[in-house]
Amino acid sequence: MTKILTLKDLPIEEETACTVGNFDGLHTGHREILKRLKEISKKENLKSLTVTFNPHPRKVLNPEKYNCSIVNLDTKVYLFENEGLDFLLIIEFTNDFYKKSAYEFMEFLKYSLNCKVLIVGKDWKFGYKGEGNINYAKEVGEKLGIKVISVEDITLNNIRISSSFIRELLKKGDLENVSKLLGRKYFLIEKVVKGDGKGKEIGFPTINLKPDEDLCLRKGVYAGFLEKDAQIYKAVINFGNRPTVDGSKTFIEVHLLQKPHKFPEENEKVKIYFIKYLREERKFDSIDSLKNQIKLDIQIALEVLEREKANL
């Protein structure tokens, strides 16, 4: 089982093989790095350790240039736990941490993380204002006793797999290509919140989730699934502001197309799969018009989901 660490849990006594990155979405390129990490840690009899940051460093350093996130922290942790690593260190990214020089960061890896082997992508930048690169890491690593290994980019159809590219696809609602680059169906782990009963009032009760404000996902209606207690249920999912009802708050609303054994309770975490983007969210002239559209959404979603369940 992966042990989750924060800075207060350091230093680590066991010798480690480590990697560092934001790992937003944990796509196939990221997982190639983790694969190498696990292979090397096993071969060298080291513990495998991944360092990641929350929030995304760019959100702290350049909020005006910060784009959005593929997944939230709960989903990221879940994905890492399924990779079978020994340790996951989540560093709360602050301006103070950012001010570490590249050399100080390498010292942090040695003395706080007991890192003997560092595996990173070939374009890795680190330290204050990104002053350190892979060549500098190898040079300093040699002095500090850290072997630095760089991993080449992973491509699909000659396109470099990157979090930036996946973000752009998510904003378009292109879930088919997102899934190819992630190597899995796109999903989020979200906490159930108390709704206002509007869905139930119009005959389509929903399970309500409050997503992070910086989610890349395109607003609109999706065919998808909800997973709870190892059971998977077909669903129509609305991600947006509910313009026909009130238009003031952003929610993920999940209308189940199958009755669950037990409905999720408030504060319970569930997994939501987004399979296909169906349409934009829009304001209808009346509640009756909205209800008719939802019925049509359900019909289309059922056709889509009948083909997809076996591929989760």
Side-chain angles (χ1 to χ4, degrees):
M1 177 180 275
T2 304
K3 187 172 183 180
I4 311 298
L5 306 174
T6 61
L7 290 176
K8 65 180 174 56
D9 300 309
L10 305 181
I12 294 173
E13 292 183 4
E14 297 100 324
E15 294 182 339
T16 67
C18 60
T19 186
V20 182
N22 191 60
F23 298 105
D24 189 16
L26 205 63
H27 56 62
T28 50
H30 294 146
R31 291 209 303 283
E32 186 62 29
I33 291 175
L34 297 186
K35 179 183 174 187
R36 292 288 302 280
L37 175 69
K38 288 182 284 189
E39 287 171 352
I40 289 166
S41 61
K42 186 176 181 181
K43 182 181 176 183
E44 304 287 338
N45 198 27
L46 303 168
K47 295 292 184 181
S48 56
L49 182 149
T50 296
V51 180
T52 192
F53 305 99
N54 184 57
H56 194 295
R58 201 175 296 128
K59 192 173 183 178
V60 175
L61 303 175
N62 292 302
E64 67 284 350
K65 292 185 179 178
Y66 173 70
N67 196 328
C68 54
S69 294
I70 298 169
V71 296
N72 56 18
L73 183 59
D74 280 340
T75 309
K76 185 193 278 192
V77 170
Y78 175 91
L79 289 167
F80 271 114
E81 287 177 332
N82 279 276
E83 288 295 324
L85 302 167
D86 294 306
F87 298 112
L88 173 65
L89 171 63
I90 301 171
I91 295 177
E92 183 181 352
F93 194 85
T94 62
N95 272 306
D96 286 342
F97 193 86
Y98 164 65
K99 288 172 184 173
K100 281 185 185 293
S101 69
Y103 191 85
E104 286 172 328
F105 189 77
M106 292 297 292
E107 285 188 315
F108 169 75
L109 295 180
K110 176 178 175 62
Y111 297 113
S112 294
L113 305 187
N114 209 354
C115 184
K116 300 297 181 185
V117 182
L118 172 66
I119 302 105
V120 287
K122 67 182 180 67
D123 297 326
W124 186 52
K125 293 281 198 313
F126 65 101
Y128 186 59
K129 294 186 177 178
E131 64 185 0
N133 59 20
I134 193 70
N135 291 328
Y136 181 78
K138 287 179 178 179
E139 180 186 320
V140 175
E142 199 170 330
K143 294 176 185 174
L144 294 177
I146 302 173
K147 183 180 180 182
V148 179
I149 298 170
S150 59
V151 177
E152 292 296 312
D153 290 337
I154 306 302
T155 60
L156 182 68
N157 299 328
N158 295 319
I159 297 172
R160 177 176 174 264
I161 298 173
S162 71
S163 295
S164 298
F165 186 39
I166 293 169
R167 290 185 193 109
E168 294 308 311
L169 293 172
L170 271 179
K171 286 192 281 187
K172 295 175 185 174
D174 186 355
L175 289 167
E176 184 178 352
N177 282 311
V178 166
S179 294
K180 287 177 184 175
L181 298 178
L182 291 178
R184 64 175 182 278
K185 298 296 184 185
Y186 177 72
F187 66 80
L188 294 170
I189 307 288
E190 293 283 1
K191 189 184 289 185
V192 176
V193 298
K194 186 174 176 59
D196 54 16
K198 296 289 186 184
K200 192 173 183 180
E201 272 181 31
I202 64 171
F204 300 96
T206 59
I207 295 158
N208 300 285
L209 315 164
K210 192 77 179 82
D212 288 356
E213 292 177 4
D214 62 354
L215 191 62
C216 287
L217 191 63
R218 183 180 180 182
K219 288 183 176 175
V221 178
Y222 293 82
F225 297 100
L226 178 143
E227 184 176 330
K228 171 183 155 51
D229 300 330
Q231 296 294 314
I232 294 173
Y233 304 97
K234 295 173 185 174
V236 170
I237 305 163
N238 186 78
F239 169 50
N241 306 97
R242 312 182 303 175
T244 308
V245 179
D246 56 31
S248 61
K249 299 173 186 175
T250 301
F251 282 102
I252 295 173
E253 299 175 296
V254 184
H255 174 63
L256 298 184
L257 307 183
Q258 303 162 274
K259 188 175 179 181
H261 298 303
K262 184 183 178 186
F263 275 92
E265 297 177 358
E266 193 175 346
N267 292 321
E268 185 177 349
K269 289 179 183 177
V270 293
K271 185 191 289 187
I272 305 297
Y273 291 92
F274 294 82
I275 301 299
K276 187 174 179 62
Y277 185 80
L278 300 183
R279 64 172 175 86
E280 289 184 346
E281 189 181 44
R282 64 179 185 268
K283 185 169 184 175
F284 291 88
D285 295 333
S286 66
I287 293 296
D288 281 342
S289 296
L290 172 61
K291 287 164 72 172
N292 288 334
Q293 181 61 58
I294 292 173
K295 288 175 185 174
L296 184 58
D297 294 337
I298 290 171
Q299 184 181 330
I300 297 169
L302 284 170
E303 291 172 8
V304 169
L305 299 174
E306 200 60 43
R307 302 188 296 268
E308 293 291 342
K309 191 170 181 180
N311 298 321
L312 291 183

